[in-house]
Amino acid sequence: MISFSLKLALLCSWSFLFFLPLASHAGTVKASGDSGKGKGSISFGVDVPFWVVKKIFAEDNSFQKIIPGMMAWKVLSRSENKLLGDCTMSISPMLPPSRYIAEVTYHSASKISFQRKRGDLKDLRGDWVITPKGENYTHFVYSFSVDTGFAILPGAAIAMELRKHLNATEQKVTIYTRAYAKREQAKAEH
């Protein structure tokens, strides 16, 4: 196992790699970072009906299934449009996992926001905006900002890790929603 200080040394010695373009996906990715803080967003579409996506996001364990790096998610409490969850997350192998309590608010079937209430990170907040585009297509916009509370990675490294996380989110959401839609279709046919 590589120690954290060795990872940091490797990161700094290979920092020129952070300026190389990453493989692009169908979505539009924006990411930036500076001094332990970062923000990112991705906009993409998936060829699944909106009702399937609504059903997935209504499940208590959906976040762990669609967010890359989410190591654990446990719902602590639930009300009509909010839930409080205990989350352990690893966005990058360059950083130790973070554990925090997150509040998730369901504003409507199309908008879900999340915010760190307490825990390892200084701040984390963001939104999912999910929009039907026709009968069998759903558009996603996922955006967030994070403040680790400490500055250990250069801004370019944070931006690169956020881009990787956002691209992985698009891939994971696409794969999971398509598989879920196929299962729902198979149930309906029986």
Side-chain angles (χ1 to χ4, degrees), residues 50-67:
F50 181 67
W51 68 266
V52 170
V53 175
K54 277 184 7 183
K55 195 169 181 181
I56 290 169
F57 274 86
E59 294 178 353
D60 284 349
N61 62 352
S62 64
F63 297 108
Q64 191 169 356
K65 292 178 181 177
I66 63 171
I67 305 291

Side-chain angles (χ1 to χ4, degrees), residues 66-87:
I66 63 171
I67 305 291
M70 189 166 288
M71 301 162 68
W73 172 258
K74 180 182 177 189
V75 174
L76 302 174
S77 66
R78 177 183 275 286
S79 66
E80 186 174 324
N81 68 334
K82 289 187 183 209
L83 63 85
L84 205 60
D86 184 350
C87 178

Side-chain angles (χ1 to χ4, degrees), residues 72-146:
W73 172 258
K74 180 182 177 189
V75 174
L76 302 174
S77 66
R78 177 183 275 286
S79 66
E80 186 174 324
N81 68 334
K82 289 187 183 209
L83 63 85
L84 205 60
D86 184 350
C87 178
T88 303
M89 181 88 173
S90 175
I91 289 181
S92 165
M94 301 295 179
L95 296 171
S98 298
R99 185 170 178 200
Y100 55 90
I101 303 299
E103 180 180 79
V104 178
T105 304
Y106 295 85
H107 300 280
S108 65
S110 297
K111 184 175 180 186
I112 302 163
S113 64
F114 57 92
Q115 176 178 334
R116 173 216 168 266
K117 294 311 252 180
R118 61 184 179 275
D120 293 343
L121 300 172
K122 185 174 181 182
D123 189 39
L124 172 68
R125 60 187 68 231
D127 297 296
W128 283 91
V129 178
I130 308 155
T131 313
K133 299 285 185 185
E135 192 174 311
N136 291 309
Y137 192 82
T138 304
H139 184 260
F140 296 82
V141 177
Y142 169 50
S143 59
F144 66 93
S145 64
V146 62

